[in-house]
CSV table of all heavy atoms in Angstrom, one decimal:
chain,number,residue,atom,x,y,z
Q,181,PRO,N,-5.8,-9.8,38.6
Q,181,PRO,CA,-5.3,-9.7,37.2
Q,181,PRO,C,-5.6,-11.0,36.5
Q,181,PRO,O,-5.5,-12.1,37.0
Q,181,PRO,CB,-3.8,-9.5,37.4
Q,181,PRO,CG,-3.7,-8.8,38.7
Q,181,PRO,CD,-4.7,-9.4,39.6
Q,182,ALA,N,-6.1,-10.9,35.2
Q,182,ALA,CA,-6.6,-12.0,34.4
Q,182,ALA,C,-5.6,-13.1,34.3
Q,182,ALA,O,-5.9,-14.3,34.3
Q,182,ALA,CB,-7.0,-11.5,33.0
Q,183,ARG,N,-4.3,-12.8,34.2
Q,183,ARG,CA,-3.3,-13.8,34.0
Q,183,ARG,C,-3.2,-14.8,35.2
Q,183,ARG,O,-3.0,-16.0,35.0
Q,183,ARG,CB,-1.9,-13.2,33.9
Q,183,ARG,CG,-0.7,-14.2,33.7
Q,183,ARG,CD,0.6,-13.4,33.5
Q,183,ARG,NE,1.7,-14.3,33.5
Q,183,ARG,CZ,2.1,-15.1,32.4
Q,183,ARG,NH1,1.4,-15.0,31.3
Q,183,ARG,NH2,3.2,-15.8,32.5
Q,184,ILE,N,-3.5,-14.3,36.4
Q,184,ILE,CA,-3.4,-15.2,37.6
Q,184,ILE,C,-4.8,-15.6,38.1
Q,184,ILE,O,-4.9,-16.4,39.0
Q,184,ILE,CB,-2.6,-14.6,38.7
Q,184,ILE,CG1,-3.3,-13.3,39.2
Q,184,ILE,CG2,-1.2,-14.3,38.3
Q,184,ILE,CD1,-2.6,-12.6,40.4
Q,185,GLY,N,-5.8,-15.2,37.4
Q,185,GLY,CA,-7.2,-15.5,37.8
Q,185,GLY,C,-7.9,-16.4,36.9
Q,185,GLY,O,-9.2,-16.4,36.9
Q,186,ASN,N,-7.2,-17.1,36.0
Q,186,ASN,CA,-7.8,-18.0,35.1
Q,186,ASN,C,-7.8,-19.4,35.7
Q,186,ASN,O,-6.7,-20.0,35.9
Q,186,ASN,CB,-7.0,-18.0,33.8
Q,186,ASN,CG,-7.6,-19.0,32.7
Q,186,ASN,OD1,-8.5,-19.8,33.0
Q,186,ASN,ND2,-7.1,-18.9,31.5
Q,187,GLY,N,-8.9,-19.9,36.1
Q,187,GLY,CA,-9.0,-21.2,36.7
Q,187,GLY,C,-8.8,-22.4,35.9
Q,187,GLY,O,-8.8,-23.6,36.4
Q,188,ASP,N,-8.5,-22.2,34.6
Q,188,ASP,CA,-8.2,-23.3,33.7
Q,188,ASP,C,-6.7,-23.3,33.4
Q,188,ASP,O,-6.2,-24.1,32.6
Q,188,ASP,CB,-8.9,-23.2,32.4
Q,188,ASP,CG,-10.4,-23.4,32.5
Q,188,ASP,OD1,-10.8,-24.2,33.4
Q,188,ASP,OD2,-11.2,-22.8,31.8
Q,189,ASP,N,-5.9,-22.4,34.0
Q,189,ASP,CA,-4.5,-22.3,33.7
Q,189,ASP,C,-3.7,-22.4,35.0
Q,189,ASP,O,-3.3,-21.4,35.6
Q,189,ASP,CB,-4.2,-20.9,33.1
Q,189,ASP,CG,-2.8,-20.7,32.7
Q,189,ASP,OD1,-2.0,-21.6,32.7
Q,189,ASP,OD2,-2.4,-19.5,32.6
Q,190,PRO,N,-3.4,-23.6,35.4
Q,190,PRO,CA,-2.6,-23.8,36.6
Q,190,PRO,C,-1.2,-23.2,36.6
Q,190,PRO,O,-0.7,-22.8,37.6
Q,190,PRO,CB,-2.6,-25.4,36.8
Q,190,PRO,CG,-2.8,-25.9,35.4
Q,190,PRO,CD,-3.7,-24.9,34.8
Q,191,ALA,N,-0.6,-23.2,35.4
Q,191,ALA,CA,0.8,-22.7,35.3
Q,191,ALA,C,1.0,-21.3,35.8
Q,191,ALA,O,2.0,-21.0,36.4
Q,191,ALA,CB,1.3,-22.8,33.9
Q,192,ASN,N,0.0,-20.5,35.7
Q,192,ASN,CA,0.1,-19.1,36.1
Q,192,ASN,C,-0.9,-18.7,37.2
Q,192,ASN,O,-0.9,-17.5,37.6
Q,192,ASN,CB,-0.2,-18.2,34.9
Q,192,ASN,CG,0.8,-18.3,33.8
Q,192,ASN,OD1,2.0,-18.0,33.9
Q,192,ASN,ND2,0.3,-18.8,32.6
Q,193,ASN,N,-1.6,-19.7,37.7
Q,193,ASN,CA,-2.7,-19.3,38.7
Q,193,ASN,C,-2.1,-18.8,40.0
Q,193,ASN,O,-1.1,-19.3,40.5
Q,193,ASN,CB,-3.6,-20.6,38.9
Q,193,ASN,CG,-4.9,-20.2,39.6
Q,193,ASN,OD1,-5.0,-20.2,40.8
Q,193,ASN,ND2,-5.9,-19.8,38.8
Side-chain angles (χ1 to χ4, degrees):
R183 179 176 173 82
I184 60 175
N186 181 349
D188 293 326
D189 179 19
N192 296 297
N193 196 268

